[in-house]
Structure formats: structure tokens, C-alpha cells
Amino acid sequence: MSGRLGHQPKGLGLRSVAGQVFALQAVIVVLLVTVGALALIFQARYDTERDARNRSLAAAEAFAHAPGLVDSLRAPDPTALLQTRAESARQASGLDFLAVMTPDGIRYTDSRPELIGQRSTGDFARARGGESFTEIFHGEPSDAVRAIVPVRTEDGDIVGLVSTGIEIENVGNVVEDQLPLLLGTAAGALVLAVGGAALVSRRLRRQTHGLGPVEMTRINEHHEAVLHAVREGVLIIDADLRLLLANDEARRLLDLAPDAEQRHVNELGLDPRTAALLSSGRVVNDEVHLAGDRLLAVNVRPTAPYRGRPTGTVMTLRDSTELATVSGRAEVARGRLQLLYEAGVGIGTTLDVVRTAEELSEVAVPRFADFVTVELLEPVLRGEEPSGAFTEMRRTALTGVRAEHPFQPVGDLVRCVVPTTPMAMALDSGRAVLVEDLNTADGWRAQDPEGAAEALAYGLHSLVAVPVLARGVVLGMANFWRAGTQEAFGEEDLTFAEELTARAAVSIDNARRFTREHEMAVTLQRSLLPRILPDLSAVDVAYRYLPAKAGVGGDWFDVIPLPGSRVALVVGDVVGHGLHAAATMGRLRTAVHNFSTLDLPPDELLGHLDELIDRIDRIDRGSEGESPGGSGSERRSGAGAGSGFEAKAGTELAGPGEDRSVEDRSAGGSAVGGSAEGDEGRERITGATCLYVIYDPADGRCIMARAGHPGPALVHQDGRVEFPEMPSGLPLGVGGMPFETTELYLPEGSRLVLFTDGLLVDRDRDFDTGLALLGEALATTGRSPQQACTDVLAALLVPAPDDDIALLVADTRRLEAARIAEWDVPADPAHVSRVRNAGAEQLASWGLDGIAFTAELILSELITNAIRYGAEPIRVRLLRDRRLICEIFDGSSTAPHLRYAATTDEGGRGLFLVAQFAERWGTRYTERGKVIWAELPLTTQDSELPAMAVPDLDALEDLAW
């Protein structure tokens, strides 16, 4: 064959592979260059036309909006004023024409003066409709790329049109000017491509020695026949340690994949020792290596260097069948070690007691036993400490090589009442017990003769019973059974069974302890979360709460009614899991309830909550007053100044200029907060976040603030979803910075969605991705809040969430205008009776005559006191909701206080009367004053009036608080 190679032609003849490749490449290059040249010509023409459109439209837009154009069009002779300007603009823009026309197309100006006064051809309806556009115009005086832009007045009226453009002939000339360059480039590309193809083909000719297809096919056939006829495995590895070639025998011996070529030796699935040998480059003779169930004699030689560099390695393999016995024993030992490794990885993947027992049984079948049964004590399954009695256990797991079996099913009670059974002996001694032949196990047969007979008839013949021990305490029993023709257990299997069960016992005990803590945390948390949400007029609310699979956390939510038909929506999150997180969540929720009774704005409420957490942390650490940052009030620098508090009988509240200590503002706060990390190592309340939203159905106003918590989603009636921008704030307990509020006015029928980050974030999903999925899930309209909650969880919930999930969906409602009445009150006592009478008329129109007298009494007293002791502006508002709500606004921040007047006092009984006749009353502070409110039932049957003498309503105007 070498002789034939020497007589091959050295040119690129078409009979050789190199010549055929060159011819094919040349044809392809010619076609590609031709198509490319044509594409460039068409692209150049398209780009030129598009540029003409853009230039024309830009010039027309600029001239149409030029200062003074509208005034010039309204002048008696627009042509005289505009012709010169238009011509200058045309020349500066490089256009062929620029014309100013009437809306009907009559030219005021034109680059051709003879056309002035004539009507321009074309359809100007779009321009008269206010649209700017470009078009390819065909007609007189010439074909052109034309742009038409309307001229508008300040009122939007169209008083004229501006037409600009470039003639088609000039557009084509640009393309024709570029043709020599394009054709020259194409010719150059063709020459370079053909030259490159010739160089490639010449290189190919040298590689193939000028052989034709027939000769190369014959050489390959001879190569394949010789290689695959050898009854010895052959591997060829290149210098980069990648497999180049493997014959059939090598594939069989090493069990290589069909696509093993070009893989690295470490990716072939070889025994690590064999792979290391190939990587090392060592020369070996008949070195024994393990491959599956075979022992192979391996020879390795390097291939001949090429140009002074190593090219690879050749390995030959031979099956050593005479070492089969030794190989079998080595494989058994290796399999046991591998099984123990898999047990360490595969047992205890979850913190579930039952699943861990199942994993123990699954690991051992079928490589160690044919059947495995696991029984656990009842207290262990419940997460409790074992009682010490183990005569009765619950079958927890059963795995076998066949579906049918003679054992009691999972869930049955298994008793060990005969002390000589292998199970009882193993439990008493704390060591594994071996029974090589079950026919000799008299105690086992005596305990359940029928069951033992059935098991023996089934083929069970050998048993290893191992107690499940953790910390020296019995948790249960694991039994390994063999059946059929498999050899009986031996002494060497005893140690392996104990080791395997011991590894599982640790995981079972961990799962038991987790189960106990999880149940306690779930019970605690469910008792702390709201069970029934209040039925309110302001919102229609639905919620979902899901604890994390890894353990209960500190997510929480709440819906709190506020005076004036308003409502507070709250969600929060305490970082962490377990009892501490659940207890901290309950304390924070109680704190929010306490502070909400003071009717504070969201930013002040979060400030007090942050201050309270810091205070409780320092108290729990025993360092009250010793914090380097000073007390909570000093650290916040008066964050709560100006806040108002509802007065109680016999108490007085400080005015806005007087100091309110933390103790006063946090009254009742000792029941709130969390443990701190001090000398005793207790945990602090850190990583808590909160979002607090107040919605007023009277005007749709929504005020919100957050402390490091995700903001809400706002869903409009048309399905549009937005996430309002709002300051994030620091998490609670960090302190040092005030919180900020965001104010929105929600359209009618809006939906607010509050959530914790556990809904969005997961190990495989970041916050932004979760936010996008939430927006898509909320975009569907026509669903109730309950349906929306279900759909959101279906879209975002993962099978095993890492964190708690709290979701609150609230459809907002607005009070009808007919149920709201307002009056402005001058600061003159003479107007009290007028407003009182107007209120009585409004109550009559609402059909509330039964409570009119009580409402008039309250109005008279509150308006009179606002005039005497408040400040303007004074305003009265009545809301007819589920209660009648009377609200008096004034510009003073002085808080009223309830007291008992002496018999000699001329006044002081008014607020006392309000407290007696109103179902509830209180004070809340606004940015510019305060609101005193009182609630009355809509009917006298809802509450009885107090039995007391009531003076004339006009006389009440002389009383004071």
C-alpha cells in the first residue's frame, strides 16, 4: 500500500478527496458571495430610503414646531413671511423640497415658486386628523419620499401642514454611487474565499496523501477488520487523556458507553485505580485491575512521539478468569463498604421519623437482605421520649424483593412477649442476634406458631435482629431477613448489620426530637395567630398561612378594626424557626394590637414597636439604662412626640409640649416582646420585619409604613398589578432611624395584597423572580379574595417551602357618598345649634330617628368643646356604617380628659355625658390637629340608654370638659 501512495498525483485532481472538496468549496463560495452582494445592494437601497424618511420627518417636525409659524399662518400674506424661511430650512436640511400648506393642501411656500398657490396632490386626511407620517409619493411634480406634519395651535387646532421630502431619483443615485464599492468588495471576498479553499484543499491533500474515496474506504475496512479481530481489549488515549478509540473487546470488558469516544478517562466510568493509571502515563505489564465482576490484566505503552511531542497511550486488556474467586471476595468487601457509604448519605435525608425508618429498609434491600422490617415504639413516632417498655412496637417500615410477603403489614402492633425470641434477646442485651437457620429458633416459633409456619413455608431461613439504639435508649427494632436460595447470614454480617442500624438510629432520634419541637411550635403558633378575622365594611379579607416544612417560623398577619370605619392590615416576619420564633411572633402581634388602640400613624406605631423591642432586649439582658446608645427614647430622639392616646376615666394626658416617658407610651408593654441574648445565652429579638397599612373607606386613603418588610401589591379593577414604591426602613430592633410613611388614594374596587418573603423566595428562586410570578398570579380579574389566595399559592408554592408563608388579600370598599355628611363649623357657639339641627335632619334622612336625640346630645357637646378649647379649622363628619360615627376635627393637639365635676362646678360634665351615651369614644391625632370620635348603635335596641336625667340640649352648650 505504501507503494501505491508514492504514485499518487500531487495536484488537486477531481479524483482525489482534496480535489472534490476544493470544487465543492468553490461552488459554495461563489453562491455565498453572489447572494451577499445582492443582499448588500438591497440593504443599501432600504437604508437610503429609510434615512430619507427620517430626515424628511425630522425636518418637517422641526419646522412645524418652529416659533412664530402659527402666527405667520394667521397673517394676511403667509407666503411673504414664510417663503424665505422655508427655503433656508430646506437648504440647511439637505432636502429637495419643503412646502408649507393649508390643511387642504394649498401651498403657501415651495422650493419651486411656480407651484405656490397650487394644490398639492395626495391624501392629507391623516395629517388633518393630527397624525405625522411619511410616504413614498408618486405624482407631479416628481416622485419623492415625502413627510407631512400638521401645524397645531396651543389649543390643538390644526392650521396648516408642512411637507418635506427627497426625490426618488436622488435616493437611487446614492445607491448607484455605492455599487462600485459593493461589487469590488464582493469580488475581493470571492478571490480570498477561493484562495482559502485552495489552501485548505492542499492541506487536505497532504493529510490524505492524494488518495481518492475508493482507496480511503478500502484502507478503513482493513483497519476495522484487523482491530476488531483481536480478542484482547484495546484503548487508544490521546495526549489530553481523551479516548480516541476502543475496540469491541475493550467495550465489553469495561462496559463502556456507546458514545465513550472523546470523553476524558475520568468520565468513562472506569475503576478509580484504572483511571489513575491512564492519567499517570506509567508503563505497566500485566497489572491486575478490577472492572465490575472481572479482574483484568492491563498493559500500557506510550505511542510513538510525533515531531518530538508525546501523542498518547495504548492500553491492552485481558480477562483473568483464573482469579475469579479472589475477585468475588474482594467485590463483597467493596460492596459492603459502598453500602455503608450509601447508608450515610441516603438515611436521614428528612426530619421525618417514618421516612427515616423506610430509608433504612430501602438501603439494605436487596444487596444485604431480601426483606427488612423496622418497628418503633409508639412514643418515638409521636416525638416523645421512649418510656423504657419495649414489649410492644408499631411496624413502621417494610421493604422486600417481592410485593407479597408473610409479614404483618405496616401499622400493626408487633409484640415480643416470649423472652427467648431473637428480637427480645437483642432488646435485652442491646446487641444484634444472629439466627442462621430459622427452623432452630424455638422461641420465635413459639411466640406465633401460625405466622412462623407461614414464614418458613414462604422461604425465610435466616435472620439478624438488631435493636435501634440512640444515646443508650431503645427506640425500636430492625430485622434483616433472607429467603429463597441466598446463603444464610454469617458472623461477618452481624457487625455490618449493627453498623448500618446504628447510623439509622441517630437519624431516627434526630427526627423524633424535631417532631416534638415542631408539634410544640405548631401548637403554639396556631394559638397565637388570629383564628377568625373581623367582618368589616372597609375590606373583604381572605388569608393563608403555611408553616415551613423545616420547622414553624415567625410569620404572622392581622386585621385590626380602627375608629371611623378604618382598618389596619398587618403582616410581619420573625427570622428563624422553632419555639422562640413562634413565641416572639405572638409577643409582637400583641404589641401591635396594644399600640393600634392608641390609633397611631403607621410610622409612629413601628417606632414604638422598635423602641419596645430594644427596651425588652436590654431588660432581659439585665442592662436597663446601661446601653451605650442610651435609652430607647433618647436613641429615637422623640419619635413619638405629638402622638395622642385615648383617655381613661380619672386620668389626664400630657399635652404636646410635655414629656411622655417610654413607660407612659409603652403602658401594658410588659406582656410583649421577646427574650434577649445576655449572660444566660438567650436569643434576642432580631431580624423581625413588619408592614403596617391603614385604609380609610371614607375617602380611599391608604397610609402605610414598613420595617424591612416587602411592600404590598396593589391590584386595580382592570387586572393591572403594581408594587408601590415606599421607603424600606430598618428591621425592628435595629433602631437609630425613624420610619417613613407612604400615602396612596386607592381607586374604587382596588385589591391590596400583603405577604411575607417566604411566598416569593426559595432556594431555586430569587426575590425578583418571585415578585414577577406573584404579579402574573394576581392579574386575573373577577375572583374573590379566597380564590385569589388559592391561585397565588398554586402558582408560587413549592413542594417543601424553606420559610413560613403568610398571605393576606383584601378587597377594599368605599363608603357611599350618601352615607357621609360633613359640615364646616365657624368658631362661634351660635353655630352649634345650626350644625346640630343639620345633623338631626341627616339622621332623619337615614332613618335613624330612634337615636337622633343621643346623636344631637353628643354633637352639641363635642362641637361646643371644640369651639371653646380647640382651634380652627373645625369640621364635623357623620358616617353611617354598621355604627353611626360622629367625628369632630379641630386644629388643636390638646387631648381631652374625662373627669367627675364637683357639685359647685359650672361645667366639666360634657365629656362624661358623651362617655355615658356613646358605645365607644376616643381621640386620634392628625398631622394638623386631632379628631374626637364617638360611635352609636344604629338602633336603640342595640344598647339601652343610661338611666339619668338629661338637660336641655341648648343647656349642654354651657358645659365644658
Side-chain angles (χ1 to χ4, degrees):
M1 183 172 294
S2 61
R4 295 191 59 187
L5 290 176
H7 292 84
Q8 294 303 316
K10 296 185 178 180
L12 294 179
L14 292 180
R15 294 187 57 188
S16 68
V17 173
Q20 294 177 10
V21 169
F22 171 76
L24 180 61
Q25 287 180 328
V27 172
I28 294 174
V29 166
V30 170
L31 291 176
L32 289 177
V33 171
T34 303
V35 173
L38 292 175
L40 288 175
I41 293 173
F42 285 115
Q43 181 65 39
R45 184 171 185 84
Y46 171 79
D47 291 341
T48 305
E49 182 179 314
R50 182 180 60 183
D51 179 67
R53 286 177 179 266
N54 294 337
R55 288 172 53 199
S56 300
L57 183 60
E61 290 281 1
F63 197 86
H65 294 89
L69 180 60
V70 175
D71 295 335
S72 298
L73 290 175
R74 291 175 174 173
D77 188 3
T79 300
L81 299 175
L82 298 175
Q83 175 64 17
T84 302
R85 291 176 57 187
E87 189 63 12
S88 298
R90 180 190 70 79
Q91 294 175 358
S93 304
L95 303 175
D96 290 334
F97 63 88
L98 189 154
V100 181
M101 305 178 291
T102 66
D104 296 329
I106 304 299
R107 296 183 177 90
Y108 286 135
T109 70
D110 198 274
S111 56
R112 299 182 183 180
E114 66 270 18
L115 298 179
I116 296 175
Q118 297 183 16
R119 182 184 300 277
S120 178
T121 58
D123 185 8
F124 302 101
R126 294 166 60 188
R128 286 195 295 272
E131 179 182 355
S132 301
F133 64 93
T134 62
E135 63 180 359
I136 303 297
F137 172 74
H138 298 282
E140 294 297 329
S142 61
D143 297 343
V145 177
R146 182 170 69 174
I148 300 177
V149 176
V151 180
R152 299 176 180 271
T153 65
E154 293 181 355
D155 298 332
D157 298 329
I158 296 175
V159 297
L161 306 176
V162 176
S163 173
T164 61
I166 300 174
E167 295 180 355
I168 294 295
E169 180 180 357
N170 294 333
V171 174
N173 290 338
V174 175
V175 178
E176 293 174 0
D177 294 340
Q178 297 177 356
L179 280 179
L181 176 62
L182 294 176
L183 295 178
T185 303
L190 179 60
V191 171
L192 290 175
V194 172
L199 293 176
V200 171
S201 298
R202 188 172 296 276
R203 176 68 176 173
L204 180 62
R205 181 187 63 80
R206 286 198 299 267
Q207 295 292 331
T208 60
H209 301 283
L211 294 175
V214 175
E215 289 83 358
M216 293 184 66
T217 301
R218 186 176 298 114
I219 291 175
N220 182 67
E221 290 173 352
H222 294 168
H223 167 78
E224 292 289 329
V226 172
L227 186 62
H228 296 303
V230 175
R231 300 310 302 166
E232 193 172 33
V234 177
L235 295 179
I236 301 179
I237 310 296
D238 66 9
D240 295 328
L241 301 180
R242 295 188 176 276
L243 177 65
L244 293 180
L245 181 66
N247 69 347
D248 296 341
E249 184 68 7
R251 290 179 180 276
R252 183 184 69 84
L253 294 175
L254 298 177
D255 195 22
L256 296 178
D259 58 343
E261 279 82 5
Q262 299 304 320
R263 289 188 183 183
H264 195 275
V265 294
N266 293 328
E267 301 172 355
L268 297 176
L270 302 178
D271 183 85
R273 185 163 166 259
T274 305
L277 173 61
L278 286 172
S279 301
S280 67
R282 292 189 297 116
V283 176
V284 298
N285 294 314
D286 292 333
E287 186 172 293
V288 177
H289 285 256
L290 182 66
D293 57 351
R294 301 182 182 90
L295 286 178
L296 304 179
V298 178
N299 294 273
V300 178
R301 294 288 186 276
T303 58
Y306 179 72
R307 292 185 177 180
R309 294 186 302 175
T311 56
T313 304
V314 176
M315 172 185 279
T316 60
L317 312 167
R318 186 176 66 256
D319 192 2
S320 302
T321 55
E322 66 276 8
L323 300 177
T325 303
V326 177
S327 174
R329 292 178 181 176
E331 178 63 19
V332 170
R334 181 174 177 273
R336 294 290 172 84
L337 292 175
Q338 181 67 24
L339 187 58
L340 284 177
Y341 169 77
E342 293 178 5
V345 175
I347 297 177
T349 59
T350 67
L351 289 173
D352 182 82
V353 173
V354 174
R355 180 56 193 153
T356 305
E358 292 173 349
E359 289 170 346
L360 169 60
S361 64
E362 291 168 358
V363 164
V365 175
R367 286 184 290 174
F368 179 67
D370 294 324
F371 290 92
V372 176
T373 60
V374 181
E375 294 82 41
L376 297 178
L377 298 174
E378 290 280 5
V380 174
L381 293 172
R382 296 192 298 266
E384 302 171 0
E385 289 288 343
S387 61
F390 40 76
T391 56
E392 286 188 353
M393 299 183 185
R394 182 75 60 180
R395 175 147 292 165
T396 309
L398 193 161
T399 301
V401 293
R402 293 184 291 272
E404 69 280 358
H405 55 78
F407 302 102
Q408 293 177 249
V410 172
D412 274 14
L413 278 177
V414 177
R415 296 178 174 83
C416 298
V417 294
V418 178
T420 57
T421 61
M423 296 77 171
M425 294 169 62
L427 292 171
D428 288 336
S429 64
R431 300 296 302 273
V433 172
L434 168 66
V435 181
E436 294 187 22
D437 186 359
L438 285 174
N439 289 286
T440 63
D442 296 332
W444 174 67
R445 300 176 66 179
Q447 178 170 271
D448 183 9
E450 295 181 1
E454 183 181 355
L456 292 173
Y458 181 82
L460 296 177
H461 59 81
S462 187
L463 164 68
V464 174
V466 186
V468 180
L469 299 174
R471 297 175 290 110
V473 179
V474 174
L475 304 179
M477 167 69 61
N479 299 306
F480 302 89
W481 310 79
R482 281 185 179 174
T485 58
Q486 189 174 1
E487 62 179 298
F489 288 113
E491 291 294 334
E492 66 276 8
D493 297 316
L494 209 60
T495 302
F496 175 78
E498 285 185 324
E499 177 66 21
L500 184 64
T501 305
R503 297 192 180 198
V506 175
S507 298
I508 291 174
D509 191 50
N510 289 338
R512 176 194 64 80
R513 298 168 68 180
F514 171 79
T515 300
R516 178 183 60 183
E517 183 175 340
H518 183 74
E519 291 296 329
M520 294 172 61
V522 167
T523 303
L524 173 62
Q525 189 170 45
R526 294 196 183 280
S527 67
L528 295 175
L529 289 172
R531 298 183 180 180
I532 300 176
L533 296 182
D535 187 13
L536 303 172
S537 301
V539 290
D540 181 14
V541 182
Y543 70 91
R544 294 290 188 276
Y545 174 78
L546 296 176
K549 293 295 184 182
V552 175
D555 290 14
W556 55 280
F557 63 91
D558 220 331
V559 178
I560 305 173
L562 297 178
S565 293
R566 297 170 303 133
V567 62
L569 305 175
V570 194
V571 291
D573 184 3
V574 177
V575 175
H577 297 88
L579 290 174
H580 176 262
T584 302
M585 174 273 295
R587 302 167 87 178
L588 291 181
R589 178 172 176 252
T590 304
V592 171
H593 265 278
N594 288 344
F595 289 134
S596 67
T597 60
L598 304 178
D599 212 347
L600 301 176
D603 57 335
E604 291 191 24
L605 185 142
L606 292 180
H608 287 302
L609 194 62
D610 179 43
E611 197 170 276
L612 179 62
I613 289 176
D614 180 72
R615 177 181 176 84
I616 293 176
D617 279 340
R618 287 186 285 109
I619 291 175
D620 286 346
R621 293 196 306 271
S623 58
E624 174 64 18
E626 299 177 4
S627 174
S631 66
S633 58
E634 294 169 349
R635 175 172 56 85
R636 191 163 306 283
S637 184
S643 302
F645 298 86
E646 186 173 347
K648 298 182 180 180
T651 65
E652 293 187 5
L653 293 177
E658 300 177 14
D659 177 64
R660 293 189 180 98
S661 66
V662 175
E663 288 79 5
D664 293 335
R665 287 179 284 153
S666 304
S670 60
V672 192
S675 60
E677 182 176 348
D679 295 336
E680 296 81 5
R682 290 177 292 178
E683 298 180 34
R684 296 188 60 189
I685 306 175
T686 55
T689 65
C690 184
L691 170 64
Y692 191 83
V693 179
I694 296 179
Y695 172 69
D696 189 347
D699 54 7
R701 186 185 184 202
C702 181
I703 306 176
M704 61 187 77
R706 58 174 175 162
H709 197 87
L714 175 60
V715 185
H716 298 268
Q717 277 190 319
D718 58 0
R720 182 167 50 90
V721 180
E722 62 175 304
F723 298 91
E725 292 288 339
M726 58 183 303
S728 61
L730 295 174
L732 298 174
V734 176
M737 296 294 292
F739 298 97
E740 300 179 61
T741 60
T742 299
E743 182 174 324
L744 302 173
Y745 283 89
L746 304 186
E748 181 76 22
S750 298
R751 170 173 289 174
L752 276 175
V753 181
L754 285 70
F755 50 88
T756 56
D757 59 0
L759 179 67
L760 307 181
V761 181
D762 192 72
R763 67 187 66 179
D764 299 322
R765 184 174 65 206
D766 59 19
F767 184 85
D768 292 336
T769 303
L771 207 63
L773 292 175
L774 177 62
E776 295 174 1
L778 294 173
T780 304
T781 59
R783 297 176 299 180
S784 67
Q786 291 287 353
Q787 293 171 330
C789 286
T790 302
D791 293 345
V792 166
L793 291 183
L796 280 84
L797 188 62
V798 296
D802 296 330
D803 197 3
D804 289 19
I805 295 174
L807 175 64
L808 196 65
V809 177
D811 282 356
T812 61
R813 304 191 185 106
R814 295 282 288 271
L815 283 180
E816 302 172 4
R819 301 171 65 179
I820 304 174
E822 295 183 279
W823 299 275
D824 291 326
V825 184
D828 184 354
H831 290 276
V832 175
S833 59
R834 177 183 63 81
V835 177
R836 185 183 68 212
N837 293 333
E841 293 176 2
Q842 183 64 57
L843 293 176
S845 67
W846 285 341
L848 301 179
D849 296 309
I851 62 171
F853 178 79
T854 305
E856 288 182 63
L857 184 151
I858 292 174
L859 283 176
S860 294
E861 173 56 30
L862 296 182
I863 296 172
T864 301
N865 283 286
I867 292 174
R868 290 184 176 180
Y869 305 106
E872 291 188 296
I874 302 173
R875 186 161 50 92
V876 176
R877 184 169 73 172
L878 295 181
L879 303 176
R880 186 186 185 279
D881 196 12
R882 302 187 182 191
R883 296 284 187 272
L884 177 65
I885 304 170
C886 306
E887 296 180 335
I888 288 78
F889 301 76
D890 72 78
S892 170
S893 297
T894 303
H897 59 275
L898 184 66
R899 66 185 180 88
Y900 289 94
T903 56
T904 58
D905 290 344
E906 295 182 0
R909 299 178 180 84
L911 199 57
F912 179 77
L913 291 177
V914 172
Q916 293 297 311
F917 281 95
E919 188 173 65
R920 290 198 313 153
W921 75 278
T923 305
R924 72 173 183 270
Y925 287 83
T926 64
E927 296 177 357
R928 300 179 181 176
K930 66 177 180 298
V931 180
I932 303 177
W933 55 270
E935 292 184 1
L936 294 170
L938 297 183
T939 60
T940 55
Q941 288 80 7
D942 291 343
S943 67
E944 297 293 335
L945 291 176
M948 62 180 295
V950 179
D952 182 69
L953 293 180
D954 292 329
L956 288 175
E957 299 174 9
D958 297 329
L959 299 176
W961 67 54

